[in-house]
Amino acid sequence: MNHTRILYVIDSMGNGGAETQLLRFLARLPTDRFEAFVVLSREAGDRHDQLAKLPIVQEVTVLHDKGRSSIPSLIGKAFKVAGIIKAVQPQVLHSWLWYSSFVCGLVQQFCPSLPLSFIVSQRGDYHARYGRLRLWLTEKVVYHHADVVLTNSDRLRDDLRHRYPDKHIS
């Protein structure tokens, strides 16, 4: 039987809420139907080993930051993720948190013919948190390419549905 391959991209496996939600989700994902591959786009984090031990997780790749993030670093990471996509051949690319979603949005921007669905898990209100430039980049690079945006609250879901009525937001 063919398994659905999902490539998850998240900043790190630190002790935050998004990381906890991803661990809980992966622990419940049926291993007879899915295979999970994970990219940690900034650093390993304290719970890297816990993630790697989950039966569903086939491989964990860490893209370490060398100092401060920069535009060339982001672009380099996007091309690394694109290479991982070509090697793993997932059907789904699922990003968590702004930085990782931006990297994945760049992948979609540079490689629009990749045959996969792009899911973005947004864990907070970017419109309340970020300035105009970052919001513009989010709209053009992340939301524009996302097939689905998942949120963790009804208020955030409703706000994004109002702002982006053509997007599938759950």
Side-chain angles (χ1 to χ4, degrees):
M1 175 162 98
N2 287 335
H3 290 81
T4 300
R5 289 182 167 202
I6 305 171
L7 178 63
Y8 295 92
V9 182
I10 189 166
D11 297 8
S12 74
M13 285 312 297
N15 292 313
E19 296 86 345
T20 299
Q21 288 179 354
L22 178 58
L23 283 170
R24 288 179 181 165
F25 178 77
L26 289 173
R28 293 184 182 111
L29 203 59
T31 57
D32 61 332
R33 295 179 42 215
F34 298 96
E35 292 179 327
F37 297 79
V38 182
V39 172
L40 305 176
S41 66
R42 297 189 109 161
E43 63 184 11
D46 295 338
R47 296 194 282 175
H48 171 276
D49 293 341
Q50 185 180 355
L51 172 72
K53 289 178 184 175
L54 291 173
I56 194 86
V57 175
Q58 306 299 306
E59 186 175 344
V60 178
T61 304
V62 181
L63 306 178
H64 294 281
D65 270 340
K66 296 177 178 91
R68 193 180 149 123
S69 293
S70 63
I71 298 299
S73 172
L74 279 167
I75 293 170
K77 286 182 181 186
F79 280 103
K80 287 178 185 176
V81 170
I84 293 167
I85 289 169
K86 288 186 185 210
V88 170
Q89 297 185 348
Q91 288 84 17
V92 177
L93 174 63
H94 187 167
S95 66
W96 294 66
L97 303 174
W98 187 87
Y99 183 89
S100 293
S101 293
F102 191 76
V103 168
C104 291
L106 288 174
V107 170
Q108 297 293 91
Q109 185 82 28
F110 296 142
C111 309
S113 63
L114 289 174
L116 51 86
S117 297
F118 179 31
I119 300 172
V120 173
S121 281
Q122 184 168 324
R123 315 322 298 162
D125 186 353
Y126 297 162
H127 290 84
R129 185 180 303 163
Y130 300 135
R132 287 184 183 167
L133 176 60
R134 190 177 246 191
L135 285 173
W136 181 83
L137 288 169
T138 303
E139 290 175 356
K140 299 299 179 195
V141 176
V142 179
Y143 296 150
H144 177 74
H145 296 291
D147 296 299
V148 176
V149 178
L150 301 176
T151 68
N152 61 349
S153 75
D154 293 338
R155 188 197 59 76
L156 183 56
R157 178 202 60 212
D158 295 344
D159 182 53
L160 289 173
R161 282 182 178 168
H162 175 74
R163 292 176 188 272
Y164 309 103
D166 296 338
K167 283 290 165 191
H168 182 92
I169 301 170
S170 295

